[in-house]
Amino acid sequence: SIKSLFDNPTLAGLAKEIAGPENKVLPPIVAHRDHNDRIPLSFAQERVWFIDKLQGSTQFHLYWVFRLSGPLVITALEEAFRQIIQRHQVLRTAIHEQDGIGFQKLQPVDNWRLHRVNIAMVEATHGDVQHYLEELVTWPFDLGADYMIRVHLVKLSDEEHIMVPVIHHIA
């Protein structure tokens, strides 16, 4: 429990807590829904979806910019994100509409891709990295088709990269 984490601030104490009596009540396992289910939107999702339909929703983008130094196995990075997306269905949920009612529809994780570019491509098309990054974080999501997470990787050199994950708040 969360209380156990605060009551046992050391690894040794937490290990004793974990190895303790087996009569502890565990939280229920969250069941995954079938891909064919039409999952209703929460009230918060309905609000963001409505705003997106009226004026777009780039103000709901959450993003981070990381500079990665050292050797990078790009296929492993892409697979790590794919595993996160597999585990968290909301990241691969698209918002569909029928008779004016929005609902969530899951997309297959296999279609998700890491967006890769090198610095030469960025400089040729955008002038510099700063302009490219500004465009990435304001590039609108299509809530009806896109995954709710995009990850861009800019290769500066063999051992220098910039990684920009962008998540839509509706997730």
Side-chain angles (χ1 to χ4, degrees):
S1 69
I2 297 295
K3 182 181 183 316
S4 297
L5 290 173
F6 288 104
D7 288 346
N8 301 286
T10 66
L11 287 176
L14 195 54
K16 285 180 187 175
E17 178 71 18
I18 291 171
E22 294 183 26
N23 58 358
K24 294 181 182 177
V25 178
L26 297 175
I29 295 174
V30 176
H32 288 276
R33 292 182 176 255
D34 186 16
H35 293 282
N36 296 325
D37 286 355
R38 285 178 28 153
I39 307 163
L41 299 177
S42 70
F43 292 122
Q45 287 174 316
E46 280 185 345
R47 181 178 60 86
V48 173
W49 178 61
F50 180 74
I51 291 169
D52 182 74
K53 288 174 62 171
L54 285 178
Q55 64 187 27
S57 59
T58 58
Q59 69 272 26
F60 291 100
H61 293 186
L62 307 169
Y63 63 90
W64 301 265
V65 178
F66 299 99
R67 186 175 194 108
L68 308 176
S69 297
L72 180 62
V73 180
I74 296 172
T75 55
L77 178 66
E78 183 173 42
E79 184 56 28
F81 274 103
R82 197 172 281 118
Q83 290 297 317
I84 291 168
I85 294 164
Q86 176 65 37
R87 179 163 174 81
H88 299 282
Q89 292 179 341
V90 72
L91 295 174
R92 56 190 166 92
T93 297
I95 310 298
H96 292 246
E97 179 180 357
Q98 185 172 25
D99 300 326
I101 306 294
F103 62 93
Q104 300 175 65
K105 186 91 171 146
L106 296 179
Q107 304 181 89
V109 72
D110 298 336
N111 295 337
W112 185 88
R113 297 285 178 265
L114 179 73
H115 301 272
R116 305 177 205 180
V117 296
N118 63 44
I119 189 66
M121 292 169 49
V122 168
E123 290 172 342
T125 58
H126 295 84
D128 64 16
V129 174
Q130 185 64 35
H131 286 95
Y132 179 70
L133 297 179
E134 289 170 6
E135 185 177 305
L136 289 182
V137 300
T138 59
W139 177 23
F141 281 84
D142 176 350
L143 300 184
D146 292 342
Y147 291 85
M148 295 301 110
I149 182 173
R150 292 191 294 244
V151 182
H152 299 266
L153 188 68
V154 180
K155 181 179 180 178
L156 304 175
S157 70
D158 286 342
E159 296 206 359
E160 293 289 325
H161 296 80
I162 296 175
M163 181 179 71
V164 184
V166 183
I167 298 176
H168 196 286
H169 183 70
I170 202 164

